[in-house]
Amino acid sequence: MEDVYPCLTRSREVRHYLSDIGFSPSKSMGQNFLIDANMRDLILDASGVGSEDMAVEIGPGLGVMTEGLMERAKHVTAIELDFRLAEHLQQRFSERRNLTLLNQDATKTDWEAFVRPDPVRVISNLPYSVGSRILYDLADPALAPVSITVMLQSDVADRMLAAPASDLYGLLTVRMSWAYEISRVRNVPGNCFLPPPRVGSSVVHLERRTQAPAEVNDYATLEKLSRFAFTKRRKQLKSILKSFGTPMDDGPVDLTRRPETLNLEEWAALSNAVSGADKG
Ligand code: SAM
């Protein structure tokens, strides 16, 4: 095959390219390749990646965004699960000095290894089946990268942006909005991908908060409590706290309320009461 790469942002050329390299996309690995240059640029621009940044790309696929990232960032680490793609990219970008390619599963990545003095920005057209899991892992306040800019299913974006008391407000909302200011950059039509995904897509940008939204004595308690509570979202807090092992008659919020009604400040207050009760 020639060492000249076609424009991988046009459907016909991506099809030819895939057939040239003998590759058929895997559904289970969520291989819906971005074939729209405007959307690629929109994600790169929204990410704010610049020459001082360490970019981490999850699922580089055919390398369409990776190329743009290498031009903008100080260094790019790309994590690709599919060894066929990882090997292919390794060859294709063998001359590039600011790329580290890891053939690994981003759901098993040790994100602690990515905490750096240089700002770390995560960019991805996420594999949808594991997208929310990866985002949840990244939003650990002790590790959280300064920004995350991702393409994901619109319904996951809706969940992250949901307001308290709505049906979509849940564990992902609390976890992500505790660490990040979240904005939807835009919704993206299916014809921007090859093959098109069966669900709606959105680009979302998350910028790490400079300050926690409320004071919490022990974030681990907040995480454990909210994780537990949202498995029982129809129950009242009083009964949830009892089964969590920290029964209370009164709390900093009305305990007849349900977990989906608590805003971040109220979650922090409840968590502080629980960690206080643990100590007592
Ligand atoms: N970035 C490319 C693009 O925009 O065209 C590909 C995006 S495609 C939606 C998702 C990519 O994530 C695929 O390359 C897929 O092989 C990879 N992938 C799937 N599961 C993964 C995982 N657990 N860890 C890392 N990469 C994964």
Side-chain angles (χ1 to χ4, degrees):
M1 201 180 49
E2 299 170 46
D3 199 9
V4 173
Y5 289 92
C7 172
L8 290 179
T9 47
R10 291 205 194 105
S11 172
R12 207 168 63 92
E13 299 192 26
V14 177
R15 276 178 214 282
H16 282 153
Y17 186 68
L18 290 174
S19 113
D20 272 357
I21 63 172
F23 185 87
S24 52
S26 145
K27 258 192 207 155
S28 67
M29 281 193 261
Q31 289 170 348
N32 302 99
F33 299 115
L34 194 59
I35 53 166
D36 186 291
N38 292 329
M39 287 305 152
R40 177 204 54 200
D41 294 344
L42 183 97
I43 297 172
L44 291 171
D45 290 346
S47 76
V49 166
S51 57
E52 296 306 308
D53 296 321
M54 295 272 309
V56 176
E57 186 185 9
I58 298 165
L62 297 173
V64 165
M65 282 207 285
T66 324
E67 276 201 291
L69 283 172
M70 285 187 292
E71 274 154 32
R72 297 176 186 220
K74 182 172 179 181
H75 188 87
V76 181
T77 303
I79 303 171
E80 175 55 61
L81 175 65
D82 189 331
F83 77 92
R84 302 169 300 170
L85 292 173
E87 214 170 73
H88 177 72
L89 290 178
Q90 194 81 62
Q91 282 174 16
R92 179 173 167 196
F93 294 136
S94 62
E95 306 284 296
R96 309 299 281 257
R97 291 286 150 251
N98 68 339
L99 173 68
T100 304
L101 202 66
L102 303 176
N103 177 205
Q104 68 174 236
D105 182 344
T107 65
K108 298 191 177 126
T109 294
D110 171 15
W111 294 113
E112 225 168 322
F114 289 89
V115 177
R116 293 274 193 300
D118 296 320
V120 175
R121 295 186 186 273
V122 170
I123 296 91
S124 180
N125 173 11
L126 283 168
Y128 288 180
S129 60
V130 287
S132 42
R133 157 117 189 250
I134 293 171
L135 290 171
Y136 194 91
D137 290 348
L138 284 170
D140 177 341
L143 309 172
V146 292
S147 71
I148 304 177
T149 311
V150 282
M151 177 86 77
L152 38 53
Q153 302 102 295
S154 299
D155 68 294
V156 175
D158 296 343
R159 274 161 53 208
M160 287 200 289
L161 288 157
S166 81
D167 282 348
L168 297 173
Y169 185 82
L171 181 61
L172 190 67
T173 330
V174 172
R175 170 78 162 187
M176 301 312 296
S177 55
W178 184 268
Y180 288 99
E181 301 274 2
I182 307 169
S183 53
R184 189 190 311 258
V185 179
R186 63 163 289 167
N187 293 327
V188 180
N191 60 9
C192 292
F193 304 85
L194 184 87
R198 273 178 301 177
V199 292
S201 302
S202 304
V203 175
V204 171
H205 178 72
L206 299 94
E207 195 74 32
R208 194 175 68 197
R209 291 181 187 274
T210 49
Q211 239 190 326
E215 256 187 57
V216 71
N217 300 339
D218 176 30
Y219 179 78
T221 302
L222 170 62
E223 201 272 337
K224 253 192 258 161
L225 176 66
S226 52
R227 186 189 279 272
F228 182 81
F230 280 114
T231 63
K232 304 177 186 311
R233 57 187 291 139
R234 298 287 159 220
K235 295 237 159 103
Q236 293 185 353
L237 292 169
K238 189 166 177 151
S239 123
I240 291 173
L241 288 168
K242 189 169 170 212
S243 38
F244 191 64
T246 49
M248 280 180 207
D249 289 326
D250 290 307
V253 298
D254 175 357
L255 298 183
T256 64
R257 288 171 61 187
R258 296 190 161 80
E260 73 220 47
T261 68
L262 265 56
N263 64 27
L264 296 179
E265 289 77 15
E266 291 169 327
W267 272 114
L270 190 63
S271 161
N272 289 344
V274 163
S275 50
D278 274 349
K279 276 180 203 130

